[in-house]
Amino acid sequence: MGNAEEIDDEQILNTHVQMKKTLTLLALLTFSIGVFAQKADSVMLRKIYDEALVNGQCYQNLHYLCKNIGQRLSGSANAQKAVDWGKKLMESYGFDKVFLQPCMVPHWVRGAKEQGFIVEGTEKTPVAICALGMSVATPKAGLTANVIELHSLDELKTLGEAGIKGKIVFFNRPFDPRFIETGAAYGTAGDQRFAGPAAAAKYGAVGVIVRSLTEALDNYPHTGTTNYIDGVPKIPAAAISTIAANELSAALKKSPGTKFYFKTNCGQLPDAPSFNVVGELTGTENPNKFIIVGGHLDSWDLAEGANDDGTGVTGALEAVRILKAMNYRPKNSLRVVFFMNEENGDLGGDKYAELAAQNKEDHIAAIETDGGGFTPRGFGFSGLQPGALKVINQYWKPLLEPYDADKLTNGGGGSDIEPLQGKVPGVVLIGFKGDSQRYFDIHHTPNDVFENVNKRELELGSAAMASLMYLIDQHGLKF
């Protein structure tokens, strides 16, 4: 009986030893596979960057888009030229599929150049202004009225109709310079542009002038969409340059009776047909699972839309072109999307999400680039499973670190890809992060031209996006 017990104890001990050896071997094997995979990924990323920096085509594509087509406001002839150009270019790269997604878009036109004057008695000082997108025009002879300077929408409530009626409201809240990420300053200042005119109209204002949404001190007025409200009078609204805003503010302090005159000639035409442009490398294993990268093809009409968002569409296209040129065959389908109508409606993004749901397409990830073609810093992620970001930083940060694109954080996306989140379960939204310090100096201005894009910065950004698409395709995002 005692011998049997000893034999049993010995067998149990041997079993435990064997299990420990097996687990150790499995751990070593897993570690070796991980090290091997990281090494292979590192080699692949180096090849991606070599292709982008030696054989890159995004800069020349951007030059054509800016100089041969130019501004691309939704509904315009130039927007259609850009659609035709984008489709033809994707086809020339030999993608597996290239197609258009029809969508109806608003068609707002600016008309003749705007005029603005600070009126102090008989003296008139010309200032730089531009109509806000979707604004109604002033009367044909223009509009002159007393001005009241405000710094928040809440001040409208405080003053009420008695203090606002019959006046031009001048919203003069500047960018907050304390934000390191300038997009945050844009977010906190933006309500006076997109909501200010409608809010002021409720209290009887006859027009609105908004300080341009930038920290730059110059004479470039910044346009952008304003939103009217049903049942509230639509009043004309314009942006004023930061230098002119300071001049108007100083004049009002000196003489509260100072008036302002402005004349705009804008208006809304019937909605027009347009398209998203889509190019695809079809997946070898999961053809109905998609990783997409894109930007918006439309732009405001004051300039060429170089950084907003010409660099986005050409950089996104380049990311997929790079992988195609390297003969990479993805497991999942990779798409580049040129979205239409981000600037004044987001209808292209809505249409893409609607069709993705309708066609039961499983989207693993959607990457948006709409912050200019500046030096890449990394990516922001929304919709990851708990703990996934930690794993991503553990394994992917070292791979991206040599290229200074390794800032991988929570919170990312963009207005063109956000509609996917409500219609396609499980999609992870990713925002490309470029250096933000110069973007809002030229955003929505006459200064958004090709000459303000750096070739190397644009190429580095395209390589960063191609690298992320490759890593997601190989390893997924569910850790």
Side-chain angles (χ1 to χ4, degrees):
M1 190 71 175
N3 289 340
E5 288 175 357
E6 287 174 9
I7 291 170
D8 289 342
D9 288 343
E10 186 177 344
Q11 287 175 337
I12 291 169
L13 180 62
N14 288 338
T15 301
H16 284 171
V17 170
Q18 189 60 43
M19 286 177 65
K20 189 174 181 180
K21 286 181 179 179
T22 301
L23 290 171
T24 301
L25 286 170
L26 285 170
L28 287 170
L29 180 61
T30 301
F31 176 76
S32 298
I33 292 171
V35 170
F36 177 79
Q38 274 208 309
K39 186 174 181 181
D41 290 340
S42 180
V43 170
M44 181 64 173
L45 263 60
R46 181 66 261 181
K47 289 179 179 178
I48 286 172
Y49 274 83
D50 287 349
E51 172 64 24
L53 296 172
V54 176
N55 302 314
Q57 296 186 24
C58 49
Y59 194 64
Q60 68 188 47
N61 289 337
L62 179 66
H63 183 273
Y64 188 95
L65 179 63
C66 291
K67 299 303 181 184
N68 292 65
I69 298 176
Q71 68 83 15
R72 307 170 296 280
L73 191 57
S74 292
S76 68
N78 276 10
Q80 184 58 46
K81 288 180 184 177
V83 167
D84 296 338
W85 165 82
K87 183 174 183 288
K88 185 176 179 181
L89 185 57
M90 290 182 194
E91 289 171 342
S92 75
Y93 287 151
F95 292 166
D96 298 321
K97 296 177 184 176
V98 177
F99 55 95
L100 302 179
Q101 295 179 328
C103 58
M104 296 298 290
V105 298
H107 188 188
W108 179 84
V109 293
R110 182 172 301 279
K113 185 174 174 58
E114 304 88 346
Q115 295 177 312
F117 294 90
I118 299 171
V119 182
E120 299 175 86
T122 59
E123 186 177 344
K124 296 171 66 176
T125 304
V127 292
I129 68 164
C130 67
L132 294 183
M134 312 304 278
S135 174
V136 296
T138 62
K140 288 185 178 181
L143 174 65
T144 304
N146 288 102
V147 181
I148 183 162
E149 180 178 351
L150 304 180
H151 295 88
S152 73
L153 271 63
D154 286 341
E155 291 179 80
L156 292 168
K157 302 174 188 176
T158 302
L159 292 169
E161 188 173 303
I164 302 296
K165 190 172 182 179
K167 294 187 173 74
I168 292 172
V169 172
F170 168 39
F171 288 109
N172 193 32
R173 186 190 333 145
F175 256 34
D176 188 336
R178 295 171 295 179
F179 288 107
I180 304 303
E181 169 57 54
T182 59
Y186 180 74
T188 58
D191 64 337
Q192 56 193 336
R193 187 198 77 203
F194 61 77
K202 289 180 181 179
Y203 296 93
V206 294
V208 165
I209 298 294
V210 180
R211 183 187 184 92
S212 287
L213 301 183
T214 180
E215 195 179 351
L217 191 61
D218 59 29
N219 258 322
Y220 292 111
H222 293 227
T223 192
T225 298
T226 194
N227 299 318
Y228 291 119
I229 299 172
D230 290 341
V232 176
K234 295 179 179 180
I235 60 175
I240 187 170
S241 74
T242 50
I243 286 178
N246 289 351
E247 290 177 356
L248 178 56
S249 182
L252 288 166
K253 287 180 175 64
K254 179 182 173 184
S255 175
T258 295
K259 295 183 178 183
F260 193 81
Y261 165 89
F262 70 116
K263 184 177 187 297
T264 60
N265 306 282
C266 46
Q268 193 78 22
L269 300 179
D271 288 357
S274 194
F275 305 89
N276 295 328
V277 188
V278 184
E280 179 183 310
L281 300 182
T282 304
T284 56
E285 297 179 14
N286 307 306
N288 202 47
K289 290 187 176 183
F290 297 90
I291 301 163
I292 74 168
V293 62
H296 64 87
L297 188 55
D298 61 305
S299 76
W300 283 114
D301 56 323
L302 297 178
E304 298 166 356
N307 272 292
D308 186 21
D309 189 28
T311 54
V313 291
T314 56
L317 175 60
E318 181 74 351
V320 179
R321 185 207 67 81
I322 288 169
L323 295 171
K324 176 73 167 60
M326 295 171 64
N327 295 315
Y328 177 69
R329 294 307 303 170
K331 298 177 181 179
N332 307 284
S333 292
L334 307 183
R335 275 183 182 168
V336 54
V337 185
F338 290 1
F339 294 98
M340 182 54 71
N341 184 232
E342 186 273 347
E343 292 293 7
N344 59 341
D346 292 315
L347 296 181
D350 289 341
K351 176 58 69 173
Y352 183 88
E354 175 190 320
L355 293 174
Q358 180 181 308
N359 297 328
K360 295 182 169 53
E361 295 173 344
D362 183 358
H363 281 61
I364 298 168
I367 306 167
E368 182 167 333
T369 169
D370 187 17
F374 302 106
T375 303
R377 295 290 182 237
F379 299 91
F381 298 78
S382 294
L384 288 170
Q385 294 179 328
L389 186 63
K390 183 177 180 181
V391 178
I392 286 171
N393 270 284
Q394 183 178 351
Y395 291 103
W396 294 358
K397 183 180 175 68
L399 294 170
L400 293 166
E401 194 169 16
Y403 311 104
D404 293 330
D406 59 317
K407 187 177 181 182
L408 309 175
T409 63
N410 274 315
S415 58
D416 280 317
I417 60 176
E418 281 171 4
L420 282 168
Q421 213 161 32
K423 291 183 170 67
V424 181
V427 64
V428 175
L429 305 185
I430 303 170
F432 169 74
K433 291 179 177 289
D435 187 284
S436 71
Q437 304 312 314
R438 289 169 287 156
Y439 183 53
F440 292 104
D441 292 357
I442 58 180
H443 176 258
H444 294 184
T445 76
N447 207 23
D448 188 9
V449 294
F450 174 78
E451 288 75 12
N452 283 324
V453 177
N454 178 276
K455 177 177 181 288
R456 188 170 177 85
E457 288 181 294
L458 180 59
E459 291 169 344
L460 287 169
S462 67
M465 289 184 285
S467 297
L468 185 64
M469 292 187 86
Y470 161 78
L471 290 171
I472 296 171
D473 185 53
Q474 286 293 306
H475 306 290
L477 286 167
K478 294 181 179 178
F479 301 104

